[in-house]
Structure formats: C-alpha cells, structure tokens
C-alpha cells in the first residue's frame, strides 16, 4: 500500500507542476494544460464547422471551455492524488466519526475533496504525523491552486483585451481594404517621418501580442468573440501586407529602412511564437527556412506598382538583399497565415496583391 501512497503523491506533484508552469511561468504551458487546450479547441472548431449558422457562437465558447476544463482537470488530479495518498492510512491513521462501516476509497475521495477545497468538515481527522502532514500539504496546495486560478482568470481578461484592441485598431485603419493601401495612405498623408512612427507603433503592438501568446497560450488565440472584427487572422494578414509594403517602400525611401526592418522583425517573431504554440511542425519548419517562389516574387512587384504613386522612382531595391529578401517575407507570411487558417478551420481570403 506504500506504493499507492507514493503514486498519489506523484500525481499531486505532477498536477502542481503543470499548474505552476501554466499560471506562473511567463512563457510556458503545462503538458496537461496543452493537451486539454488542443482537445477542446479541436472539438469546438469541428462542431462550429458543422454548424455554420451558429459557428461564431460555438467558437466563442472555446476560450471559457478551455480554461474551465483545464482548471477542472487540475482539481480532479489533485483530489485523486491526495485520495490515493491517504487511502492506505484511513484504517489506522484517521479517526472516522461515522457509523458507515470500514473506510474505503470513496471516503478517501471525500476527505481529499474537502481538504483540497479547504472545506474540511472534520468527520475524518488525521491522527498520525504522516496523515497530518499529507492533509496539511493538501490543504496548502488546494488553497494556492484556487488562488492562482482566480488570478489567472482575471489576468486572462486583460490579455485578451490587448489582442482585441490590436484587431480592432487594424480593422478600423484598413476599413475593409488591405494593409498595402493602409500603409500607402500613411505614407501619402504623413510622409516618411509619420510613417516611420507608425511602423514603430505597429511593431510595439505586435510585440504585445507576442507576449500575450507567451504568457497565456491557453487563451491567446482560442478566446473568440461573436463579432468578426475581433478575429486575429484578418489583423495579422493586414499587418503582413503592411510589412511587405514597408519593406518595398524602404528601398525607395532610405529613411524608412530601419523602421521597416523593425516591423518585419516583430512580425516574424510573432509568427514563430504562434506557430510554435498552435500550428504544425511542418509550418514551423517552413517558417524557419522560407523558400520563395515566382508567385511570391510577383507579389513584391505588384506591391511596388501599388505604391508607385507615393514613391520617388529612385531605382532603389526594397531592402538589403533586394527583392528576394522581401519575397522571403511574402512567402513566410503566406505559409503562416495558411497554417493559421487551417488551425482555425476558416477560409483564407486572398491577399491585397493577389486580388488585383
């Protein structure tokens, strides 16, 4: 029976480590939490795809379900682990104030549930040092876990709000057009100086979203709204288009080069973070080793034509390395967004340069 107690303690430690990694670590996700997230999201996405009339309402349930399911699994593991730990001690190490016969595993579960939730009715009282130690640890772990879950749930709201503000900001700036047009308007209206500032502002927001994915992988992209303007995919597509436009424009306006490359770096980092968290290994590999094709090169040429009215025709190259470097960015954005839409089970719309 000592083996049973050790098994129970191992389950408790595993659950605590999983919760600590998810709630406390700035860029980690517990194994259990990750599995729950994948299973719940896949189930909700499939259900939404099969119910197109209420798809958005179904997807809106994914985030809360993932958080609630993860919390429930942690609590269940803690109760099960503590019950296994105290079960062998019940007969001799506990005072049972009931007349329901010999103590069994159901009584151990009852005691564990009361201890983890810090209720402790007192009808099962540990008498031995080992029993008291296990009970004390169980109560402390339970109190800490519930406090951590409550704090995490509160922080989630602020984190999701950051992503929503990003999506709404890009949605309002583009006004149902595209990222290239958005960038061209900034360049035409404010000139190179204001456009440099705007590129840095976009890069700062992308870094905030990147930190959100690091900090809250459970909900960063699974918390969905019933309103389509809150969807992250269109905002990321428009940011990809604006980044390509900035890189192209920097070849004709050297003062834009540093801010354009900063924007490209922020977007690349965010794409890799999202891919590592949510997408397949194949997408991750292709992002790390982009191999542009003729389609990507034609996209760069099309963006140059779209920006021609607002650029001085100095004959410059888009960035160091020429158009091929920009074509790599186009290819990377295409691979990333195709993978993201496949993960979300949504249809990928054409890029602005493809729609012309």
């Amino acid at each position: 029976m000592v083996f049973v107690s050790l098994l129970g303690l191992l389950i408790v430690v595993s659950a605590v480590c999983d919760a600590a990694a998810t709630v406390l670590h700035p860029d980690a996700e517990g194994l259990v939490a990750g599995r729950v997230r994948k299973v719940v999201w896949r189930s909700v996405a499939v259900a939404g795809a099969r119910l197109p009339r209420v798809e958005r309402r179904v997807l809106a349930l994914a985030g809360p379900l993932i958080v609630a399911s993860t919390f429930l699994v942690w609590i269940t593991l803690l109760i099960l682990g503590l019950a296994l730990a105290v079960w062998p001690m019940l007969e001799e190490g506990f005072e049972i104030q009931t007349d329901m016969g010999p103590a069994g595993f159901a009584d151990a579960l009852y005691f564990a549930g009361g201890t983890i939730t810090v209720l402790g009715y007192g009808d099962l009282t540990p008498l031995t040092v080992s029993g008291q130690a296990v009970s004390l640890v169980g109560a402390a772990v339970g109190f800490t876990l519930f406090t951590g879950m409550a704090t995490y749930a509160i922080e989630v709201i602020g984190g999701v709000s950051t992503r929503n503000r990003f999506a709404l900001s890009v949605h309002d700036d583009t006004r149902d057009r595209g990222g290239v047009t958005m960038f061209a308007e900034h360049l035409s209206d404010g000139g190179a100086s204001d456009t440099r500032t705007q590129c840095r502002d976009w890069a700062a927001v992308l870094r905030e979203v990147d930190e959100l994915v690091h900090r809250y992988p459970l909900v960063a992209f699974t918390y969905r709204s019933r309103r389509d303007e809150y969807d992250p995919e269109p905002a990321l597509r428009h940011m990809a288009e604006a980044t390509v436009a900035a890189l192209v424009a920097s070849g004709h306006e050297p003062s834009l080069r540093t801010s354009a490359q900063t924007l490209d770096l922020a977007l690349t980092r965010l794409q890799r973070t999202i891919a590592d968290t949510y997408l397949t290994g194949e997408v991750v590999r292709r992002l790390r080793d982009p191999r542009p094709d003729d389609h990507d090169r034609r996209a760069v040429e099309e963006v140059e034509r779209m920006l021609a009215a607002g650029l001085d025709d100095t004959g410059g190259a888009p960035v160091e390395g020429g158009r091929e470097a920009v074509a790599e960015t186009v290819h990377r954005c295409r691979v990333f967004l195709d993978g993201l839409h496949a993960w979300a089970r949504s249809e990928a719309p054409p890029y602005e340069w493809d729609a012309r």
Side-chain angles (χ1 to χ4, degrees):
M1 297 297 284
V2 175
F3 172 77
V4 175
S5 294
L6 291 176
L7 176 61
L9 291 175
L10 179 61
I11 293 175
V12 170
V13 171
S14 299
V16 169
C17 291
D18 197 88
T22 304
V23 175
L24 300 179
H25 201 283
D27 58 353
E29 182 181 37
L31 179 62
V32 173
R35 294 293 183 184
V36 171
R37 170 178 59 80
K38 292 177 182 179
V39 170
V40 175
W41 172 258
R42 188 180 299 115
S43 301
V44 173
V46 170
R50 294 181 178 179
L51 300 169
R53 293 185 178 181
V54 293
E55 182 177 7
R56 298 206 65 86
R57 293 186 178 184
V58 174
L59 285 179
L61 298 174
L65 281 176
I66 288 172
V67 174
S69 299
T70 302
F71 289 176
L72 181 60
V73 170
W74 286 339
I75 294 169
T76 301
L77 288 175
L78 285 179
I79 292 175
L80 176 61
L82 184 60
L84 289 172
V86 303
W87 183 23
M89 309 176 189
L90 286 182
E91 288 292 338
E92 299 179 357
F94 280 73
E95 179 183 355
I96 305 176
Q97 300 178 6
T98 63
D99 297 324
M100 300 184 65
F105 186 65
D107 297 291
L109 284 173
Y110 168 74
F111 172 79
T115 302
I116 290 297
T117 56
V118 203
L119 295 175
Y121 296 108
D123 46 357
L124 286 172
T125 306
L127 301 177
T128 63
V129 174
S130 58
Q132 292 170 346
V134 171
S135 302
L136 181 62
V137 170
V141 168
F143 177 79
T144 303
L145 177 67
F146 278 96
T147 303
M149 290 190 303
T151 303
Y152 186 82
I154 294 171
E155 291 178 346
V156 159
I157 304 302
V160 174
S161 296
T162 298
R163 191 206 68 194
N164 287 345
R165 286 195 299 271
F166 160 67
L168 281 177
S169 175
V170 177
H171 177 271
D172 292 345
D173 282 347
T174 56
R175 298 189 294 277
D176 296 327
R177 291 170 300 173
V180 178
T181 300
M182 176 178 65
F183 177 86
E185 286 185 350
H186 280 291
L187 187 61
S188 175
D189 296 341
S193 178
D194 287 348
T195 304
R196 286 199 303 271
T197 301
Q198 184 61 62
C199 287
R200 293 192 183 99
D201 290 343
W202 284 334
V205 174
L206 290 175
R207 285 191 286 269
E208 288 184 7
V209 178
D210 181 68
E211 179 60 24
L212 169 65
V213 179
H214 270 300
R215 184 68 183 87
Y216 307 108
L218 282 181
V219 296
F221 271 64
T222 58
Y223 243 90
R224 297 300 178 115
S225 172
R226 296 183 182 183
R227 297 166 57 183
D228 56 5
E229 58 264 37
Y230 286 109
D231 288 347
E233 289 86 4
L236 290 172
R237 187 178 76 253
H238 294 321
M239 278 292 96
E241 294 166 343
T243 299
V244 171
L247 291 173
V248 169
S250 68
H252 300 268
E253 180 57 60
S255 63
L256 291 174
R257 181 159 298 175
T258 300
S259 57
Q261 291 175 340
T262 298
L263 177 59
D264 183 41
L265 179 61
L267 179 64
T268 300
R269 184 188 298 112
L270 175 58
Q271 290 172 343
R272 290 178 178 175
T273 300
I274 294 172
D276 289 338
T277 305
Y278 300 106
L279 308 185
T280 65
E282 175 64 17
V283 173
V284 173
R285 184 191 63 78
R286 294 178 64 189
L287 286 177
R288 292 176 178 172
D289 183 26
R291 298 182 179 182
D293 54 21
D294 290 340
H295 188 188
D296 302 316
R297 298 181 183 94
R298 286 195 298 270
V300 177
E301 296 173 358
E302 180 61 30
V303 172
E304 284 192 284
R305 284 193 289 270
M306 294 169 66
L307 294 177
L311 294 174
D312 294 329
D313 190 9
T314 61
V319 288
E320 294 181 9
R323 291 179 177 82
E324 191 66 15
V326 187
E328 287 186 5
T329 298
V330 173
H331 181 79
R332 189 173 58 247
C333 292
R334 197 187 304 277
V335 169
F336 167 74
L337 285 166
D338 286 347
L340 187 61
H341 279 285
W343 170 79
R345 295 181 180 270
S346 59
E347 183 177 354
Y351 292 88
E352 187 177 9
W353 51 70
D354 290 334
R356 289 174 175 256

